Amino acid sequence: MTLDRRVFLGLTFAGMAAPHALADGQQGIRLRDFYNKDMSYSDIALELAGKSVTIEGFMAPPLQAESNFFVLTNRPLAICPFCDTEADWPNDIAAIYTKRSVVIEPFNVLLAVTGVLDLESYRDPDTGFLSRLRLMDARYEKIG
């Protein structure tokens, strides 16, 4: 599968009424579209690796205060979806690394996060959080 029209038209999370237009005209991509059913990376993920992408989601409660890292989730969560192993990695979260300290947003505020897609497995040295998919040098804005 190649990057198809759905990606450029913008994909939203299941249950949301319509795509959200971002300030730069992009649309958010669903987190689950980065994985195949067997949890291998999708063709879309492989094609976008190393490129700037925008993902819509919700900020999970932080693992630690004053960090440049947070977890983006598909749906609002009151507790953090911390994962022990790569095998348990859910297809609806992404690690987000920003250049500056993260300003914590309420868990039910929809965000658009733009950053460079990285698909290599990585364990954060400060938190121990293991991620398979993350956005680097990310910035985010409230859209809901």
Side-chain angles (χ1 to χ4, degrees):
M1 169 195 247
T2 60
L3 226 147
D4 61 23
R5 184 178 157 175
R6 294 180 306 141
V7 173
F8 295 107
L9 291 177
L11 301 169
T12 59
F13 296 108
M16 289 186 178
H20 293 88
L22 306 177
D24 60 5
Q26 289 185 350
Q27 301 290 332
I29 298 172
R30 291 183 290 194
L31 287 165
R32 69 178 181 204
D33 291 322
F34 290 113
Y35 296 99
N36 295 316
K37 289 183 181 183
D38 66 358
M39 290 303 293
S40 62
Y41 294 119
S42 70
D43 290 341
I44 291 170
L46 295 172
E47 195 159 336
L48 292 174
K51 297 178 182 170
S52 181
V53 299
T54 299
I55 304 173
E56 294 179 3
F58 300 89
M59 185 181 288
L63 295 171
Q64 66 182 31
E66 297 187 27
S67 175
N68 69 336
F69 158 79
F70 70 93
V71 175
L72 189 73
T73 64
N74 179 16
R75 60 195 172 282
L77 296 176
I79 58 170
C80 187
F82 194 88
C83 300
D84 291 325
T85 69
E86 188 173 340
D88 296 332
W89 181 260
N91 70 351
D92 60 356
I93 68 172
I96 307 297
Y97 286 88
T98 61
K99 290 183 180 181
R100 295 180 180 91
S101 290
V102 172
V103 175
I104 305 303
E105 297 292 343
F107 74 92
N108 60 347
V109 172
L110 183 61
L111 303 174
V113 183
T114 302
V116 177
L117 180 63
D118 184 3
L119 300 179
E120 299 296 321
S121 293
Y122 175 75
R123 185 173 300 276
D124 185 271
D126 296 328
T127 64
F129 185 85
L130 175 68
S131 62
R132 290 189 61 210
L133 181 147
R134 82 206 114 279
L135 295 186
M136 303 301 294
D137 298 325
R139 64 188 186 285
Y140 57 94
E141 63 180 321
K142 296 178 194 179
I143 58 174

PDB file of all heavy atoms in Angstrom, residues 58-71 77-78 96 98 100-109 111 140 142:
ATOM      1  N   PHE A  58      -4.983  12.915  22.573  1.00  0.00           N
ATOM      2  CA  PHE A  58      -5.143  13.485  23.902  1.00  0.00           C
ATOM      3  C   PHE A  58      -3.884  13.233  24.718  1.00  0.00           C
ATOM      4  O   PHE A  58      -3.275  12.168  24.615  1.00  0.00           O
ATOM      5  CB  PHE A  58      -6.349  12.852  24.599  1.00  0.00           C
ATOM      6  CG  PHE A  58      -7.631  13.079  23.845  1.00  0.00           C
ATOM      7  CD1 PHE A  58      -8.051  12.192  22.874  1.00  0.00           C
ATOM      8  CD2 PHE A  58      -8.411  14.201  24.106  1.00  0.00           C
ATOM      9  CE1 PHE A  58      -9.229  12.401  22.162  1.00  0.00           C
ATOM     10  CE2 PHE A  58      -9.584  14.418  23.406  1.00  0.00           C
ATOM     11  CZ  PHE A  58      -9.996  13.516  22.433  1.00  0.00           C
ATOM     12  N   MET A  59      -3.511  14.203  25.543  1.00  0.00           N
ATOM     13  CA  MET A  59      -2.335  14.066  26.397  1.00  0.00           C
ATOM     14  C   MET A  59      -2.698  13.200  27.597  1.00  0.00           C
ATOM     15  O   MET A  59      -3.616  13.519  28.348  1.00  0.00           O
ATOM     16  CB  MET A  59      -1.867  15.444  26.863  1.00  0.00           C
ATOM     17  CG  MET A  59      -0.577  15.412  27.649  1.00  0.00           C
ATOM     18  SD  MET A  59      -0.061  17.073  28.218  1.00  0.00           S
ATOM     19  CE  MET A  59       0.454  17.816  26.676  1.00  0.00           C
ATOM     20  N   ALA A  60      -1.976  12.103  27.755  1.00  0.00           N
ATOM     21  CA  ALA A  60      -2.170  11.261  28.932  1.00  0.00           C
ATOM     22  C   ALA A  60      -1.531  11.955  30.133  1.00  0.00           C
ATOM     23  O   ALA A  60      -0.629  12.784  29.966  1.00  0.00           O
ATOM     24  CB  ALA A  60      -1.533   9.891  28.716  1.00  0.00           C
ATOM     25  N   PRO A  61      -1.976  11.634  31.337  1.00  0.00           N
ATOM     26  CA  PRO A  61      -1.322  12.202  32.518  1.00  0.00           C
ATOM     27  C   PRO A  61       0.179  11.926  32.464  1.00  0.00           C
ATOM     28  O   PRO A  61       0.600  10.845  32.048  1.00  0.00           O
ATOM     29  CB  PRO A  61      -1.990  11.461  33.678  1.00  0.00           C
ATOM     30  CG  PRO A  61      -3.337  11.100  33.143  1.00  0.00           C
ATOM     31  CD  PRO A  61      -3.097  10.771  31.690  1.00  0.00           C
ATOM     32  N   PRO A  62       0.989  12.896  32.848  1.00  0.00           N
ATOM     33  CA  PRO A  62       2.446  12.766  32.690  1.00  0.00           C
ATOM     34  C   PRO A  62       3.053  11.704  33.589  1.00  0.00           C
ATOM     35  O   PRO A  62       2.550  11.424  34.670  1.00  0.00           O
ATOM     36  CB  PRO A  62       2.965  14.154  33.056  1.00  0.00           C
ATOM     37  CG  PRO A  62       1.920  14.709  33.967  1.00  0.00           C
ATOM     38  CD  PRO A  62       0.611  14.150  33.485  1.00  0.00           C
ATOM     39  N   LEU A  63       4.169  11.144  33.111  1.00  0.00           N
ATOM     40  CA  LEU A  63       4.924  10.182  33.907  1.00  0.00           C
ATOM     41  C   LEU A  63       5.780  10.888  34.949  1.00  0.00           C
ATOM     42  O   LEU A  63       6.121  10.315  35.971  1.00  0.00           O
ATOM     43  CB  LEU A  63       5.821   9.339  32.994  1.00  0.00           C
ATOM     44  CG  LEU A  63       5.085   8.435  32.013  1.00  0.00           C
ATOM     45  CD1 LEU A  63       6.059   7.828  31.019  1.00  0.00           C
ATOM     46  CD2 LEU A  63       4.339   7.348  32.760  1.00  0.00           C
ATOM     47  N   GLN A  64       6.168  12.127  34.650  1.00  0.00           N
ATOM     48  CA  GLN A  64       6.950  12.918  35.594  1.00  0.00           C
ATOM     49  C   GLN A  64       6.711  14.395  35.302  1.00  0.00           C
ATOM     50  O   GLN A  64       6.344  14.764  34.201  1.00  0.00           O
ATOM     51  CB  GLN A  64       8.433  12.587  35.512  1.00  0.00           C
ATOM     52  CG  GLN A  64       9.089  12.969  34.195  1.00  0.00           C
ATOM     53  CD  GLN A  64      10.553  12.562  34.147  1.00  0.00           C
ATOM     54  OE1 GLN A  64      10.928  11.573  34.763  1.00  0.00           O
ATOM     55  NE2 GLN A  64      11.364  13.310  33.447  1.00  0.00           N
ATOM     56  N   ALA A  65       6.919  15.218  36.326  1.00  0.00           N
ATOM     57  CA  ALA A  65       6.748  16.656  36.169  1.00  0.00           C
ATOM     58  C   ALA A  65       7.926  17.244  35.397  1.00  0.00           C
ATOM     59  O   ALA A  65       9.011  16.666  35.370  1.00  0.00           O
ATOM     60  CB  ALA A  65       6.620  17.308  37.531  1.00  0.00           C
ATOM     61  N   GLU A  66       7.707  18.396  34.790  1.00  0.00           N
ATOM     62  CA  GLU A  66       8.748  19.136  34.081  1.00  0.00           C
ATOM     63  C   GLU A  66       9.561  18.240  33.164  1.00  0.00           C
ATOM     64  O   GLU A  66      10.727  17.975  33.383  1.00  0.00           O
ATOM     65  CB  GLU A  66       9.639  19.873  35.064  1.00  0.00           C
ATOM     66  CG  GLU A  66       8.867  20.921  35.849  1.00  0.00           C
ATOM     67  CD  GLU A  66       9.763  21.775  36.715  1.00  0.00           C
ATOM     68  OE1 GLU A  66      10.942  21.930  36.371  1.00  0.00           O
ATOM     69  OE2 GLU A  66       9.272  22.274  37.731  1.00  0.00           O
ATOM     70  N   SER A  67       8.917  17.791  32.116  1.00  0.00           N
ATOM     71  CA  SER A  67       9.536  16.896  31.158  1.00  0.00           C
ATOM     72  C   SER A  67       9.358  17.444  29.751  1.00  0.00           C
ATOM     73  O   SER A  67       8.499  18.288  29.511  1.00  0.00           O
ATOM     74  CB  SER A  67       8.868  15.520  31.278  1.00  0.00           C
ATOM     75  OG  SER A  67       9.364  14.648  30.299  1.00  0.00           O
ATOM     76  N   ASN A  68      10.157  16.970  28.823  1.00  0.00           N
ATOM     77  CA  ASN A  68       9.965  17.311  27.414  1.00  0.00           C
ATOM     78  C   ASN A  68       9.343  16.134  26.673  1.00  0.00           C
ATOM     79  O   ASN A  68       9.508  15.970  25.470  1.00  0.00           O
ATOM     80  CB  ASN A  68      11.283  17.733  26.759  1.00  0.00           C
ATOM     81  CG  ASN A  68      12.252  16.571  26.611  1.00  0.00           C
ATOM     82  OD1 ASN A  68      12.184  15.591  27.332  1.00  0.00           O
ATOM     83  ND2 ASN A  68      13.155  16.700  25.668  1.00  0.00           N
ATOM     84  N   PHE A  69       8.567  15.328  27.407  1.00  0.00           N
ATOM     85  CA  PHE A  69       7.997  14.094  26.896  1.00  0.00           C
ATOM     86  C   PHE A  69       6.586  13.909  27.436  1.00  0.00           C
ATOM     87  O   PHE A  69       6.319  14.231  28.586  1.00  0.00           O
ATOM     88  CB  PHE A  69       8.897  12.938  27.349  1.00  0.00           C
ATOM     89  CG  PHE A  69       8.249  11.599  27.378  1.00  0.00           C
ATOM     90  CD1 PHE A  69       8.062  10.864  26.216  1.00  0.00           C
ATOM     91  CD2 PHE A  69       7.830  11.047  28.578  1.00  0.00           C
ATOM     92  CE1 PHE A  69       7.465   9.615  26.258  1.00  0.00           C
ATOM     93  CE2 PHE A  69       7.236   9.798  28.630  1.00  0.00           C
ATOM     94  CZ  PHE A  69       7.057   9.079  27.450  1.00  0.00           C
ATOM     95  N   PHE A  70       5.670  13.445  26.577  1.00  0.00           N
ATOM     96  CA  PHE A  70       4.358  13.014  27.043  1.00  0.00           C
ATOM     97  C   PHE A  70       3.839  11.925  26.131  1.00  0.00           C
ATOM     98  O   PHE A  70       4.423  11.635  25.076  1.00  0.00           O
ATOM     99  CB  PHE A  70       3.365  14.183  27.161  1.00  0.00           C
ATOM    100  CG  PHE A  70       2.906  14.798  25.864  1.00  0.00           C
ATOM    101  CD1 PHE A  70       1.740  14.369  25.239  1.00  0.00           C
ATOM    102  CD2 PHE A  70       3.607  15.835  25.294  1.00  0.00           C
ATOM    103  CE1 PHE A  70       1.299  14.953  24.065  1.00  0.00           C
ATOM    104  CE2 PHE A  70       3.171  16.438  24.124  1.00  0.00           C
ATOM    105  CZ  PHE A  70       2.012  15.996  23.501  1.00  0.00           C
ATOM    106  N   VAL A  71       2.770  11.278  26.560  1.00  0.00           N
ATOM    107  CA  VAL A  71       2.150  10.211  25.774  1.00  0.00           C
ATOM    108  C   VAL A  71       0.871  10.766  25.161  1.00  0.00           C
ATOM    109  O   VAL A  71       0.041  11.345  25.867  1.00  0.00           O
ATOM    110  CB  VAL A  71       1.843   8.983  26.660  1.00  0.00           C
ATOM    111  CG1 VAL A  71       1.093   7.917  25.869  1.00  0.00           C
ATOM    112  CG2 VAL A  71       3.137   8.411  27.223  1.00  0.00           C
ATOM    113  N   LEU A  77      -7.684   9.574  28.576  1.00  0.00           N
ATOM    114  CA  LEU A  77      -7.404   8.602  29.636  1.00  0.00           C
ATOM    115  C   LEU A  77      -7.049   9.346  30.914  1.00  0.00           C
ATOM    116  O   LEU A  77      -6.251  10.276  30.884  1.00  0.00           O
ATOM    117  CB  LEU A  77      -6.225   7.705  29.255  1.00  0.00           C
ATOM    118  CG  LEU A  77      -6.399   6.792  28.048  1.00  0.00           C
ATOM    119  CD1 LEU A  77      -5.095   6.052  27.773  1.00  0.00           C
ATOM    120  CD2 LEU A  77      -7.520   5.809  28.267  1.00  0.00           C
ATOM    121  N   ALA A  78      -7.615   8.906  32.000  1.00  0.00           N
ATOM    122  CA  ALA A  78      -7.319   9.530  33.290  1.00  0.00           C
ATOM    123  C   ALA A  78      -6.026   8.993  33.895  1.00  0.00           C
ATOM    124  O   ALA A  78      -5.455   9.608  34.789  1.00  0.00           O
ATOM    125  CB  ALA A  78      -8.477   9.320  34.253  1.00  0.00           C
ATOM    126  N   ILE A  96       5.649  11.441  22.596  1.00  0.00           N
ATOM    127  CA  ILE A  96       5.862  12.754  21.997  1.00  0.00           C
ATOM    128  C   ILE A  96       7.019  13.431  22.721  1.00  0.00           C
ATOM    129  O   ILE A  96       6.977  13.605  23.943  1.00  0.00           O
ATOM    130  CB  ILE A  96       4.590  13.638  22.111  1.00  0.00           C
ATOM    131  CG1 ILE A  96       3.360  12.913  21.554  1.00  0.00           C
ATOM    132  CG2 ILE A  96       4.827  14.987  21.455  1.00  0.00           C
ATOM    133  CD1 ILE A  96       3.411  12.572  20.083  1.00  0.00           C
ATOM    134  N   THR A  98       9.249  16.905  22.858  1.00  0.00           N
ATOM    135  CA  THR A  98       9.255  18.307  22.468  1.00  0.00           C
ATOM    136  C   THR A  98      10.617  18.931  22.757  1.00  0.00           C
ATOM    137  O   THR A  98      11.419  18.353  23.502  1.00  0.00           O
ATOM    138  CB  THR A  98       8.165  19.085  23.233  1.00  0.00           C
ATOM    139  OG1 THR A  98       8.441  19.006  24.625  1.00  0.00           O
ATOM    140  CG2 THR A  98       6.776  18.525  22.949  1.00  0.00           C
ATOM    141  N   ARG A 100      10.941  21.860  24.273  1.00  0.00           N
ATOM    142  CA  ARG A 100      10.806  22.578  25.548  1.00  0.00           C
ATOM    143  C   ARG A 100      10.010  21.731  26.531  1.00  0.00           C
ATOM    144  O   ARG A 100       9.377  20.759  26.153  1.00  0.00           O
ATOM    145  CB  ARG A 100      10.098  23.901  25.308  1.00  0.00           C
ATOM    146  CG  ARG A 100      10.891  24.843  24.438  1.00  0.00           C
ATOM    147  CD  ARG A 100      10.146  26.153  24.230  1.00  0.00           C
ATOM    148  NE  ARG A 100      10.920  27.054  23.399  1.00  0.00           N
ATOM    149  CZ  ARG A 100      10.816  27.112  22.076  1.00  0.00           C
ATOM    150  NH1 ARG A 100       9.984  26.335  21.438  1.00  0.00           N
ATOM    151  NH2 ARG A 100      11.568  27.960  21.397  1.00  0.00           N
ATOM    152  N   SER A 101       9.998  22.156  27.775  1.00  0.00           N
ATOM    153  CA  SER A 101       9.186  21.461  28.775  1.00  0.00           C
ATOM    154  C   SER A 101       7.720  21.494  28.358  1.00  0.00           C
ATOM    155  O   SER A 101       7.223  22.497  27.851  1.00  0.00           O
ATOM    156  CB  SER A 101       9.329  22.115  30.146  1.00  0.00           C
ATOM    157  OG  SER A 101      10.608  21.872  30.664  1.00  0.00           O
ATOM    158  N   VAL A 102       7.051  20.392  28.599  1.00  0.00           N
ATOM    159  CA  VAL A 102       5.655  20.235  28.229  1.00  0.00           C
ATOM    160  C   VAL A 102       4.773  20.993  29.215  1.00  0.00           C
ATOM    161  O   VAL A 102       4.949  20.885  30.429  1.00  0.00           O
ATOM    162  CB  VAL A 102       5.261  18.736  28.222  1.00  0.00           C
ATOM    163  CG1 VAL A 102       3.778  18.548  28.022  1.00  0.00           C
ATOM    164  CG2 VAL A 102       6.060  17.993  27.160  1.00  0.00           C
ATOM    165  N   VAL A 103       3.830  21.755  28.680  1.00  0.00           N
ATOM    166  CA  VAL A 103       2.792  22.380  29.490  1.00  0.00           C
ATOM    167  C   VAL A 103       1.646  21.380  29.533  1.00  0.00           C
ATOM    168  O   VAL A 103       1.081  21.030  28.492  1.00  0.00           O
ATOM    169  CB  VAL A 103       2.324  23.723  28.885  1.00  0.00           C
ATOM    170  CG1 VAL A 103       1.159  24.292  29.682  1.00  0.00           C
ATOM    171  CG2 VAL A 103       3.483  24.700  28.817  1.00  0.00           C
ATOM    172  N   ILE A 104       1.335  20.895  30.722  1.00  0.00           N
ATOM    173  CA  ILE A 104       0.327  19.844  30.861  1.00  0.00           C
ATOM    174  C   ILE A 104      -1.053  20.384  30.499  1.00  0.00           C
ATOM    175  O   ILE A 104      -1.489  21.408  31.002  1.00  0.00           O
ATOM    176  CB  ILE A 104       0.311  19.280  32.301  1.00  0.00           C
ATOM    177  CG1 ILE A 104       1.700  18.792  32.696  1.00  0.00           C
ATOM    178  CG2 ILE A 104      -0.732  18.176  32.436  1.00  0.00           C
ATOM    179  CD1 ILE A 104       2.301  17.741  31.800  1.00  0.00           C
ATOM    180  N   GLU A 105      -1.727  19.651  29.612  1.00  0.00           N
ATOM    181  CA  GLU A 105      -3.091  19.980  29.201  1.00  0.00           C
ATOM    182  C   GLU A 105      -4.046  19.000  29.878  1.00  0.00           C
ATOM    183  O   GLU A 105      -3.665  17.854  30.161  1.00  0.00           O
ATOM    184  CB  GLU A 105      -3.234  19.860  27.682  1.00  0.00           C
ATOM    185  CG  GLU A 105      -2.357  20.817  26.896  1.00  0.00           C
ATOM    186  CD  GLU A 105      -2.762  22.276  27.051  1.00  0.00           C
ATOM    187  OE1 GLU A 105      -3.887  22.550  27.499  1.00  0.00           O
ATOM    188  OE2 GLU A 105      -1.932  23.146  26.733  1.00  0.00           O
ATOM    189  N   PRO A 106      -5.287  19.409  30.118  1.00  0.00           N
ATOM    190  CA  PRO A 106      -6.264  18.464  30.672  1.00  0.00           C
ATOM    191  C   PRO A 106      -6.392  17.242  29.757  1.00  0.00           C
ATOM    192  O   PRO A 106      -6.275  17.351  28.534  1.00  0.00           O
ATOM    193  CB  PRO A 106      -7.566  19.276  30.697  1.00  0.00           C
ATOM    194  CG  PRO A 106      -7.121  20.701  30.742  1.00  0.00           C
ATOM    195  CD  PRO A 106      -5.851  20.746  29.940  1.00  0.00           C
ATOM    196  N   PHE A 107      -6.633  16.076  30.360  1.00  0.00           N
ATOM    197  CA  PHE A 107      -6.636  14.827  29.599  1.00  0.00           C
ATOM    198  C   PHE A 107      -7.741  14.741  28.552  1.00  0.00           C
ATOM    199  O   PHE A 107      -7.695  13.889  27.678  1.00  0.00           O
ATOM    200  CB  PHE A 107      -6.693  13.618  30.544  1.00  0.00           C
ATOM    201  CG  PHE A 107      -8.042  13.401  31.179  1.00  0.00           C
ATOM    202  CD1 PHE A 107      -8.962  12.563  30.583  1.00  0.00           C
ATOM    203  CD2 PHE A 107      -8.383  14.036  32.367  1.00  0.00           C
ATOM    204  CE1 PHE A 107     -10.204  12.354  31.166  1.00  0.00           C
ATOM    205  CE2 PHE A 107      -9.604  13.840  32.954  1.00  0.00           C
ATOM    206  CZ  PHE A 107     -10.529  13.001  32.349  1.00  0.00           C
ATOM    207  N   ASN A 108      -8.733  15.622  28.599  1.00  0.00           N
ATOM    208  CA  ASN A 108      -9.846  15.550  27.654  1.00  0.00           C
ATOM    209  C   ASN A 108      -9.813  16.652  26.591  1.00  0.00           C
ATOM    210  O   ASN A 108     -10.793  16.860  25.892  1.00  0.00           O
ATOM    211  CB  ASN A 108     -11.171  15.584  28.403  1.00  0.00           C
ATOM    212  CG  ASN A 108     -11.348  16.862  29.213  1.00  0.00           C
ATOM    213  OD1 ASN A 108     -10.408  17.617  29.413  1.00  0.00           O
ATOM    214  ND2 ASN A 108     -12.558  17.082  29.681  1.00  0.00           N
ATOM    215  N   VAL A 109      -8.683  17.339  26.425  1.00  0.00           N
ATOM    216  CA  VAL A 109      -8.540  18.379  25.413  1.00  0.00           C
ATOM    217  C   VAL A 109      -7.873  17.769  24.181  1.00  0.00           C
ATOM    218  O   VAL A 109      -6.779  17.214  24.276  1.00  0.00           O
ATOM    219  CB  VAL A 109      -7.699  19.565  25.949  1.00  0.00           C
ATOM    220  CG1 VAL A 109      -7.373  20.550  24.846  1.00  0.00           C
ATOM    221  CG2 VAL A 109      -8.428  20.252  27.091  1.00  0.00           C
ATOM    222  N   LEU A 111      -5.728  17.531  20.948  1.00  0.00           N
ATOM    223  CA  LEU A 111      -4.519  18.199  20.489  1.00  0.00           C
ATOM    224  C   LEU A 111      -4.160  17.741  19.081  1.00  0.00           C
ATOM    225  O   LEU A 111      -4.446  16.606  18.692  1.00  0.00           O
ATOM    226  CB  LEU A 111      -3.339  17.865  21.401  1.00  0.00           C
ATOM    227  CG  LEU A 111      -3.463  18.178  22.886  1.00  0.00           C
ATOM    228  CD1 LEU A 111      -2.255  17.631  23.634  1.00  0.00           C
ATOM    229  CD2 LEU A 111      -3.613  19.669  23.105  1.00  0.00           C
ATOM    230  N   TYR A 140       2.664  21.205  19.663  1.00  0.00           N
ATOM    231  CA  TYR A 140       1.249  20.822  19.718  1.00  0.00           C
ATOM    232  C   TYR A 140       0.391  22.041  19.936  1.00  0.00           C
ATOM    233  O   TYR A 140       0.832  23.075  20.428  1.00  0.00           O
ATOM    234  CB  TYR A 140       0.998  19.769  20.794  1.00  0.00           C
ATOM    235  CG  TYR A 140       1.425  20.156  22.177  1.00  0.00           C
ATOM    236  CD1 TYR A 140       0.531  20.720  23.069  1.00  0.00           C
ATOM    237  CD2 TYR A 140       2.742  19.960  22.591  1.00  0.00           C
ATOM    238  CE1 TYR A 140       0.934  21.071  24.348  1.00  0.00           C
ATOM    239  CE2 TYR A 140       3.135  20.329  23.858  1.00  0.00           C
ATOM    240  CZ  TYR A 140       2.226  20.870  24.734  1.00  0.00           C
ATOM    241  OH  TYR A 140       2.621  21.234  25.987  1.00  0.00           O
ATOM    242  N   LYS A 142      -3.964  23.075  20.792  1.00  0.00           N
ATOM    243  CA  LYS A 142      -5.313  22.636  21.145  1.00  0.00           C
ATOM    244  C   LYS A 142      -6.202  22.799  19.911  1.00  0.00           C
ATOM    245  O   LYS A 142      -6.146  23.821  19.248  1.00  0.00           O
ATOM    246  CB  LYS A 142      -5.890  23.482  22.280  1.00  0.00           C
ATOM    247  CG  LYS A 142      -5.142  23.365  23.576  1.00  0.00           C
ATOM    248  CD  LYS A 142      -5.798  24.288  24.596  1.00  0.00           C
ATOM    249  CE  LYS A 142      -4.905  24.474  25.790  1.00  0.00           C
ATOM    250  NZ  LYS A 142      -5.490  25.366  26.784  1.00  0.00           N
TER     251      LYS A 142
END
